Amino acid sequence: MAIDLSPEQWPLIMGILNVTPDSFSDGGHFNQPSAAIERVRRMIEEGADMIDIGGESTRPGAPAVSQEDELARVIPVIEAIRRDSPIPISVDTSKPAVMRAAVAAGASLINDVRALQEPGAPEAAAELGVPICLMHMQGQPRTMQANPHYEDVVEEVLAFLLQRIEACQGVGITPDKVILDPGFGFGKTAGHNLTLFRELGRFVETGYPVLVGVSRKSLIGKLLGERPVEERLAGSLALATLAGWLGAAILRVHDVRETADALAMCRAVQQA
Ligand code: 7PJ
């Protein structure tokens, strides 16, 4: 099913389904299609507008995954979800072959934390014609948190994303297909993340839909005195509400029901 990105529907909830053996907050629970289906059905009941499926762990320090492994993790799960429900599926990948196979299996959005910088990725996205989320990352997952540095984090992240949009246009990806994401936690200190969050309006002002992913991230753990990942729900909801208030189009979250409740409050106040 195609994703409706019209602003009347914002913010949409993207429920996270990790099919990696090592994701930091729900790792290894959902890599059997049957377990994944149960989890997805639950997220749909709870109010998810789409499901994001990723087979490459991009948490800090995570090792690279081969194309074969990524395909083997992701494609059977996409096929199983597609047989079970019409919920829109996003595929979290940087690899052109995975993009192609995922869309053939029923995915209708590409979520690329490398913003189509892998060889062949822009061409694959153009050919597939689905919306594409371009995310900013400084460095690579294995080393990105070692020593993040910016002169001006907002200007640099914005400039990167605008440059990636140009690259997309160069291969024929039209502006209506582009979603932007500042990439919270990807080569950023807590201070960088907070500045980007405060200035989210700068990204929203570009006119492109903005995706925000902060659910359970270490930024929240840090701000709450090294809070473990299972105890970051309230912090995640506060940031989800703020992101909704600031104009985010899509929130990528683990806790769908709670986020839907928080956003209902946000929407009610905005529409009063
Ligand atoms: C993000 C993502 C994010 C987008 C991950 C985690 C790490 N994709 N994939 N934005 N984060 N677009 O969930 O903590 O922030 S994986």
Side-chain angles (χ1 to χ4, degrees):
M1 195 161 88
I3 292 171
D4 181 3
L5 285 175
S6 57
E8 303 78 61
Q9 315 296 323
W10 295 0
L12 300 171
I13 297 180
M14 171 186 266
I16 301 171
L17 183 75
N18 280 310
V19 291
T20 57
D22 61 347
S23 167
F24 82 105
S25 62
D26 56 5
H29 299 312
F30 308 118
N31 41 14
Q32 291 301 317
S34 55
I37 289 293
E38 284 309 309
R39 177 77 188 124
V40 168
R41 284 185 185 162
R42 174 90 180 270
M43 289 197 281
I44 294 169
E45 275 169 31
E46 293 180 345
D49 297 295
M50 66 189 96
I51 304 293
D52 187 47
I53 302 175
E56 177 199 5
S57 175
T58 46
R59 72 184 163 76
V65 57
S66 71
Q67 178 173 304
E68 291 65 37
D69 285 352
E70 204 179 319
L71 286 167
R73 287 176 189 173
V74 163
I75 302 305
V77 175
I78 294 178
E79 288 170 346
I81 296 170
R82 191 67 318 142
R83 281 194 296 271
D84 195 61
S85 100
I87 185 87
I89 297 170
S90 152
V91 61
D92 193 339
T93 189
S94 299
K95 296 185 179 70
V98 178
M99 295 173 187
R100 287 203 175 84
V103 172
S108 51
L109 189 153
I110 297 167
N111 174 25
D112 184 2
V113 299
R114 294 181 184 78
L116 302 180
Q117 292 181 100
E118 291 295 301
E123 293 76 10
E127 170 196 315
L128 295 168
V130 297
I132 162 78
C133 179
L134 303 171
M135 196 195 80
H136 173 273
M137 165 161 56
Q138 185 178 83
Q140 285 292 318
R142 190 189 283 279
T143 53
M144 65 190 177
Q145 289 307 105
N147 189 22
H149 177 80
Y150 301 84
E151 295 299 324
D152 183 326
V153 67
V154 174
E155 294 306 328
E156 288 171 49
V157 171
L158 256 178
F160 168 84
L161 292 174
L162 295 174
Q163 173 241 312
R164 294 311 302 155
I165 294 171
E166 269 185 42
C168 284
Q169 287 176 339
V171 296
I173 297 172
T174 52
D176 62 298
K177 295 288 191 292
V178 172
I179 299 165
L180 300 183
D181 183 346
F184 293 100
F186 286 84
K188 285 146 191 125
T189 64
H192 294 140
N193 287 313
L194 290 173
T195 303
L196 281 170
F197 208 106
R198 189 193 63 202
E199 301 299 324
L200 202 64
R202 294 285 308 281
F203 296 84
V204 174
E205 276 167 18
T206 62
Y208 293 96
V210 173
L211 188 152
V212 169
V214 285
S215 180
R216 301 184 187 172
K217 282 189 179 171
S218 70
L219 158 74
I220 297 166
K222 280 216 178 65
L223 289 170
L224 298 175
E226 299 308 326
R227 193 68 74 76
V229 71
E230 335 68 76
E231 295 173 26
R232 296 179 188 166
L233 175 60
S236 298
L237 295 177
L239 291 182
T241 311
L242 282 169
W245 189 258
L246 292 169
I250 304 175
L251 300 178
R252 183 179 177 279
V253 304
H254 301 86
D255 302 288
V256 171
R257 180 182 158 78
E258 293 84 352
T259 305
D261 283 357
L263 291 179
M265 299 304 109
C266 183
R267 221 178 257 125
V269 174
Q270 276 173 333
Q271 291 171 359

